[in-house]
Each structure stands twice: as C-alpha cells, then as structure tokens.
Amino acid sequence: MLSKEIDGRLPIYFDNACQTLRPRQVLEAVSEYYESFPACAGRSVHKLATEVSLRCDDVRAKAASFFGADDPSEIAFMKNTTEGLNTVIMGLPWEKGDEVVTTDYEHNSVHVPVLCARDRFSLKHRVVRSSEDLVFDLGAFEEAMSKKVRLVAMCLTSNVTGCTLPAKEIVDIAHSYGAMVLFDAAQAAPSMRVDVGGLDVDFMAASAHKMLGPSGVGLFYARSGSVGSIPPIMCGGHGVVDTTYDSYTLLPPPERFETGLQNYSGIIGTGAALDYLSSIGLDDVRAHEAMLNSRITRALRGVDGVDLIGPADPNLRGGIFSFNVRSLSPHDVAMILDNSKNIMMRSGMHCCHPLFHALKVQGCARASVYLYNTSEEVDVFSESVKGLAEGFRKR
Ligand SMILES: Cc1ncc(COP(=O)(O)O)c(C=O)c1O
C-alpha cells in the first residue's frame, strides 16, 4: 500500500497497531467532503449542511451495523478511543467505595482514568493478574468480582501481546454481580467482529485510525439501557436542547457527546473504511494476520537471543509479535531495522508501563501486521531480526 520508496527501498509498514494505512476509497471520501460539501452538520439548514448531516447519519448507521448495536443512536463520534473510555470511567455516577476491575495489561487510556477516578471518587481498584505467559486468567477475574464492583473496564485485545479476552464470559460474570462492562476495543475492532449486541456489553470504544480510517475519529458505543445520565466530558454548542442564563438541558446521547464542530471529513472517511473492511470480511482479515504471525513465529521460535513477549502460540496473538533482542534496547532494535531495511515498528512501553514494570523489562519492540502485509515482508523482517540476534550474540 505504501508505494513511495524511501532511500531506494519500499517501506515495510509493521506499525499497524498504532495506525493502519488508508485505502484510496478513504482518501477519496475525505477529499469529497472538502471539495463538494465542506459544511457543518446539524446546524445550518442549507443544502451543503444537509448533505453533511445525511452523510454523518449514514456513517452512524453503518457503524451501528458493523458493531451489532441495536440502534444508531447508541454510537457517538469522538476523537479517539481514549475519549470514549474517559466518558465512562470519569462520568459514571460513582459512590464512595465502589470498585472497578481491570487487567494487569491495560493501556494507559484505561489505566490512568481509572486511577484518576479512584482518587477523585474514593473507589477501590482491583487488577486481575494474567497467567505467566500473559494470557487473561478467567479464574482470577472471578475471584476479583463481588457485588461491590460497579465497572469492569478491560482491554479486549492487548496492544502488547495481541491476546484477546473471553469477552462473553466476562460480560456474563460481571452482569451476574450487577457490574457494567466497558471494553477498550482499540486493537480488537480492526480485525475481529466486536458484536456489542451479541456480547451484551454496556460500553465499547474504538478508533478509526487503527481500522483503515482517518486520524481523529473515535467510535463510542453506549447501550441505551446503560448510558443513564452520563454527562459529556466537554460541554458547549450542539450538545444541548436549550439554555437560559442560569440553566442548560443536555440532549440525549449520542448528540450530548458530540459537542462543538465535529471532524466531518474524518467521520465520512470512517464510513468508507467500514465499507472497505466489511467488503473484505473481518474473518479474512484475522486469518491473514494469523498466517503472517505464524510465519514470523516459526522463523524466530528458538532463535537464541530473541525473547517473545506473550504466549508461544501465534494463534493467540492476532497480528502482534512483540519481542526483545537480548543486549539491545527495544528502541535500538526498531532504529536498526528502520535504518537497514525500512521496517517500521513501534518500540518502548506501548503505553502499558505497569505491565513492563511488573515484567522488569524496559519495554519491547512490536511488529504488528495487517491485511495488506505480505509473506515476503514478513520474511525480510524475520531474517533481519535473526541477523540482529546473531550479530549481537557474538559480541
Ligand atoms: C489497547 C489500546 N487502547 C487504547 C488506545 C488508545 O487509542 P487512541 O490513542 O486512539 O485513543 C490504544 C492505542 O494504541 C490501544 O492500543
């Protein structure tokens, strides 16, 4: 998909867990907005504004169907996953002593708002520890549950290991204790069906930029029966029915969560991304990722000096291969592969600092593949990592 050479070589883009590339259809949808109807939805009544309103309504309906929501009004456009997660974690009508349960590998976008809410509302935070190979432990989760738990906030697919939670079991157990469930689906939504209706989950947040869409669009699901009176993080124009000098009345969801002028080109581009993904089919996306990840794992399994982060079985790790090369820092690994082969990866703590502190490692390098990556690219990557491990073993 990246067709421009850098230093005489095509880039190998393996940073898909950060942002994916965008197909031409998405770029065209974004351009069409600016070229043909660059107006504002839901305010002015002229033809261009009406066109934007209709297009955004259409994307909302598409997103509802993509995620199996009962009604489009359960989908709100936000600027990213983080905004959706904060809306729930900071906005629930907490009572002192309520408990919130997370995993030990949350992204900071769940972890930090949970700690802020804990301090602000005097909550208790319970962390479910994973097994030794960093797989979610359902038994440990059940032990953490009690009637005091108000919210289970969990990363559906880990951005470090690529492992996915047993979502339905978690929702059923949480509901049996009267707790609500919020899934951080930033990494799950790009490559598996997150069927919010079928799962019966209360809240879910994802980002378009990780699923072929433009930057700056978050997709937030709040089940109509669960959203209650959660207030928006930001208040202002467009989110209200009426205001007087001393009062305001918020609109119901989703409009109350969409205050101020929205990212219309991004929302419309997101519609094109959802169409593109639907036409390929998420099962095929997942199967392709699994094929590539198995190929990497076969090539690097048992290579002296390469340490995998996560379970050995590639089928548990989606499109993510996180690793360290012994005696090199993760950033060195990423920079060497970038400089020598144009392999673009992420390195560091991946916004999961507590997990790496617990593992007592300074982070890792992460190769994350997606639907357009090829076996040839994977082979270049695996050979390069092998070469690196060999080179530094001899020192
Ligand atoms: C698992 C997970 N959760 C949350 C986020 C935050 O997403 P965003 O930056 O779009 O808010 C990310 C981003 O990498 C992620 O991987």
Side-chain angles (χ1 to χ4, degrees):
M1 294 249 305
L2 281 173
S3 51
K4 251 196 188 153
E5 291 189 350
I6 303 175
D7 301 332
R9 200 191 273 275
L10 282 176
I12 296 179
Y13 188 77
F14 278 7
D15 198 11
N16 295 289
C18 176
Q19 287 201 59
T20 57
L21 307 177
R22 283 75 171 182
R24 185 177 34 80
Q25 290 85 334
V26 169
L27 307 184
E28 283 173 0
V30 169
S31 297
E32 191 191 6
Y33 166 78
Y34 286 113
E35 283 166 9
S36 306
F37 39 87
C40 171
R43 298 184 194 189
S44 312
V45 293
H46 55 74
K47 291 188 197 66
L48 296 187
T50 304
E51 180 69 24
V52 184
S53 296
L54 291 175
R55 299 267 183 153
C56 290
D57 288 349
D58 181 47
V59 179
R60 201 187 298 282
K62 254 177 212 165
S65 148
F66 189 86
F67 290 114
D70 284 342
D71 195 275
S73 67
E74 295 180 314
I75 301 287
F77 298 120
M78 298 202 162
K79 67 173 187 289
N80 47 35
T81 298
T82 305
E83 189 180 349
L85 299 172
N86 271 268
T87 297
V88 178
I89 297 167
M90 301 307 289
L92 279 182
W94 294 107
E95 284 172 22
K96 191 173 172 188
D98 280 346
E99 297 188 1
V100 51
V101 174
T102 67
T103 72
D104 57 356
Y105 53 83
E106 294 307 322
H107 190 281
N108 282 335
S109 293
V110 167
H111 184 64
V112 178
V114 163
L115 294 189
C116 288
R118 177 201 65 183
D119 295 345
R120 193 177 294 179
F121 304 110
S122 305
L123 311 177
K124 183 160 180 159
H125 176 207
R126 291 184 184 278
V127 177
V128 177
R129 303 283 168 201
S130 302
S131 65
E132 218 168 288
D133 59 355
L134 304 182
V135 175
F136 183 78
D137 182 342
L138 199 59
F141 168 61
E142 286 197 87
E143 273 171 34
M145 289 304 295
S146 74
K147 293 274 182 206
K148 288 189 189 156
V149 177
R150 186 83 178 274
L151 180 70
V152 171
M154 289 188 170
C155 179
L156 191 48
T157 296
S158 164
N159 59 313
V160 175
T161 61
C163 292
T164 297
L165 296 174
K168 186 64 185 148
E169 285 89 335
I170 287 169
V171 173
D172 288 348
I173 293 168
H175 284 174
S176 75
Y177 284 93
M180 291 197 276
V181 180
L182 163 66
F183 279 143
D184 166 1
Q187 297 295 338
S191 13
M192 62 180 267
R193 172 128 166 97
V194 181
D195 176 9
V196 292
L199 289 172
D200 198 25
V201 68
D202 301 277
F203 307 103
M204 186 268 327
S207 292
H209 63 256
K210 295 186 194 294
M211 43 200 302
L212 305 176
S215 312
V217 180
L219 294 163
F220 174 62
Y221 165 78
R223 192 171 63 172
S224 55
S226 304
V227 67
S229 57
I230 291 182
I233 288 175
M234 241 179 27
C235 301
H238 192 68
V240 286
V241 183
D242 193 16
T243 58
T244 67
Y245 284 121
D246 64 1
S247 70
Y248 64 93
T249 312
L250 292 173
L251 277 164
E255 285 86 359
R256 70 164 52 183
F257 297 127
E258 296 175 352
T259 310
L261 194 125
Q262 297 294 295
N263 177 1
Y264 304 115
S265 65
I267 292 168
I268 290 165
T270 297
L274 295 178
D275 283 344
Y276 193 96
L277 271 180
S278 301
S279 72
I280 291 177
L282 289 169
D283 287 346
D284 285 358
V285 173
R286 196 153 183 78
H288 185 69
E289 287 179 350
M291 183 276 287
L292 295 177
N293 208 352
S294 296
R295 200 172 170 103
I296 297 176
T297 306
R298 264 197 315 276
L300 294 178
R301 181 180 288 142
V303 172
D304 191 15
V306 178
D307 297 324
L308 171 72
I309 308 270
D313 181 356
N315 293 310
L316 297 179
R317 286 186 272 104
I320 288 183
F321 186 88
S322 287
F323 67 104
N324 274 308
V325 175
R326 245 167 278 155
S327 77
L328 277 178
S329 83
H331 292 315
D332 284 343
V333 173
M335 278 191 298
I336 293 171
L337 294 191
D338 182 16
N339 288 336
S340 60
K341 301 281 180 191
N342 276 351
I343 298 170
M344 321 274 167
M345 285 189 303
R346 174 89 181 264
S347 52
M349 293 212 185
H350 310 275
C351 299
C352 287
H353 298 71
L355 176 70
F356 286 99
H357 292 319
L359 292 174
K360 297 192 169 50
V361 290
Q362 52 177 329
C364 68
R366 178 187 70 189
S368 51
V369 295
Y370 203 40
L371 52 91
Y372 33 71
N373 291 122
T374 63
S375 299
E376 291 72 34
E377 289 178 320
V378 153
D379 292 346
V380 172
F381 166 77
S382 304
E383 282 309 307
S384 309
V385 174
K386 248 190 231 172
L388 206 55
E390 262 164 34
F392 280 84
R393 215 167 44 230
K394 288 184 197 134
R395 293 185 175 212

